[in-house]
Amino acid sequence: MVLIRITIVEDDEDWLEIISSSLEENLRNEKHEISTIKYENHLQTINKLIFLEPDLAILDINMANSSRAGIRLAEEIKEKMPDLDFRFLSAQKEKDKDILRDVAKFSGEIPFEKADFRENMDLFAVFISNIIRKKFGSDDSIVRGPLKILNKSRAIFLNDMEIKFTPMEYEILFCLAYRPNNVYSKLQLYNRTKSYEVSSGTSEDTVVSHIKSIRDKLKKIDKNFNPIKTVTNYGYKYNYSRDSKF
């Protein structure tokens, strides 16, 4: 299953702790990474969301004494991160019809009432877990711009054209694309493709040659597609941002 990044945005530190702790404890069947943002002002929160690049954002509607702060935040961030999925929280039992209409633009569910799960946080974890499986769990794949990796079938497509890779080439590319922008040493990449450890000196030439082959095969489909970047004196990373082809 693909790693899902979840970011919680709240102006209440107690609720940030309650929600994040519950998800960490209960999302045991989903590969996830949870981050939190304490809402203090609009611009700071948007910049942090862009930096974190979550797949799912959980926003409180009412923050900093504004009844629509979460909705305004979603409206602005959606322009910069069109693939971001939203879910909303509310402490209000009676919902403003205009707010419900605006929430519907971003989420198929009505705002989840905090009072419904404060005494039973398992309810909230089930709510989020179902979203993850429905939204992200239908295809065991990685999508990075025009590159798609289907892990179950070990198939790789660039611009919808399948590319054949050797087993080690596949493992290296999958490792780099699975956690984009993480830097891996040559030894780390080598060890992730083998069932045993090797000494540092024997791995470098093997990884370098496989990286070259991967790049060559990608360039045959798209000469400008070169997402694997060399990190001088260390190793490699998969260079990725949502607004680029990589």
Side-chain angles (χ1 to χ4, degrees):
M1 181 176 290
V2 178
L3 176 72
I4 304 302
R5 294 179 173 85
I6 303 170
T7 298
I8 306 159
V9 181
E10 256 279 2
D11 64 341
D12 187 316
E13 290 186 357
D14 289 339
W15 271 109
L16 278 176
E17 176 61 26
I18 290 169
I19 296 168
S20 60
S21 296
S22 174
L23 294 181
E24 288 288 6
E25 182 177 350
N26 292 289
L27 290 181
R28 296 171 181 169
N29 296 324
E30 323 294 343
K31 289 185 178 180
H32 66 278
E33 182 178 278
I34 296 173
S35 57
T36 61
I37 299 175
K38 185 177 186 299
Y39 181 91
E40 294 178 348
N41 67 68
H42 219 60
L43 182 59
Q44 179 190 57
T45 303
I46 289 175
N47 289 336
K48 286 182 177 179
L49 277 168
I50 292 172
F51 174 78
L52 291 169
E53 291 191 327
D55 301 290
L56 173 64
I58 301 171
L59 310 178
D60 191 6
I61 291 177
N62 189 331
M63 296 184 289
N65 297 317
S66 171
S67 62
R68 304 175 66 85
I71 294 172
R72 291 200 312 274
L73 186 66
E75 289 172 342
E76 292 187 38
I77 202 67
K78 192 70 173 178
E79 295 180 3
K80 298 177 174 62
M81 302 173 67
D83 296 329
L84 180 58
D85 201 52
F86 295 92
R87 290 302 182 274
F88 295 88
L89 306 176
S90 174
Q92 299 173 352
K93 279 288 185 181
E94 296 298 324
K95 302 295 191 307
D96 184 296
K97 290 183 179 179
D98 290 336
I99 288 178
L100 291 177
R101 182 198 63 218
D102 291 339
V103 164
K105 298 176 184 177
F106 303 99
S107 171
E109 290 91 6
I110 63 173
F112 203 90
E113 295 173 3
K114 294 179 180 179
D116 288 345
F117 61 83
R118 182 158 197 162
E119 301 302 322
N120 184 1
M121 291 303 296
D122 289 348
L123 287 176
F124 184 67
V126 170
F127 172 69
I128 297 299
S129 180
N130 287 339
I131 291 170
I132 290 174
R133 284 197 292 269
K134 180 180 178 182
K135 178 73 177 179
F136 305 103
S138 60
D139 186 3
D140 188 15
S141 63
I142 296 174
V143 178
R144 302 287 181 241
L147 182 75
K148 186 171 185 179
I149 304 176
L150 305 181
N151 195 31
K152 286 183 179 179
S153 60
R154 297 177 70 84
I156 298 177
F157 297 84
L158 177 59
N159 296 330
D160 296 324
M161 297 182 64
E162 186 172 6
I163 308 174
K164 298 297 183 182
F165 287 94
T166 68
M168 191 166 183
E169 289 168 355
Y170 174 89
E171 295 294 346
I172 289 174
L173 182 57
F174 182 88
C175 176
L176 291 169
Y178 187 76
R179 290 187 178 274
N181 302 317
N182 277 22
V183 180
Y184 293 91
S185 70
K186 298 180 183 73
L187 181 60
Q188 285 175 317
L189 289 173
Y190 190 86
N191 285 338
R192 284 171 181 265
T193 66
K194 296 292 183 180
S195 60
Y196 52 87
E197 296 292 316
V198 296
S199 61
S200 180
T202 61
S203 66
E204 291 191 3
D205 290 344
T206 300
V207 171
V208 169
S209 65
H210 281 78
I211 290 287
K212 182 180 184 303
S213 179
I214 293 169
R215 285 170 167 165
D216 289 343
K217 290 179 179 181
L218 294 175
K219 287 180 180 179
K220 284 183 178 179
I221 304 298
D222 184 343
K223 65 179 181 180
N224 296 315
F225 189 75
N226 182 28
I228 300 177
K229 302 301 181 184
T230 300
V231 180
T232 305
N233 297 325
Y234 191 79
Y236 301 94
K237 70 174 183 176
Y238 190 101
N239 192 47
Y240 175 73
S241 63
R242 290 182 184 272
D243 58 354
S244 76
K245 69 182 296 184
F246 296 155

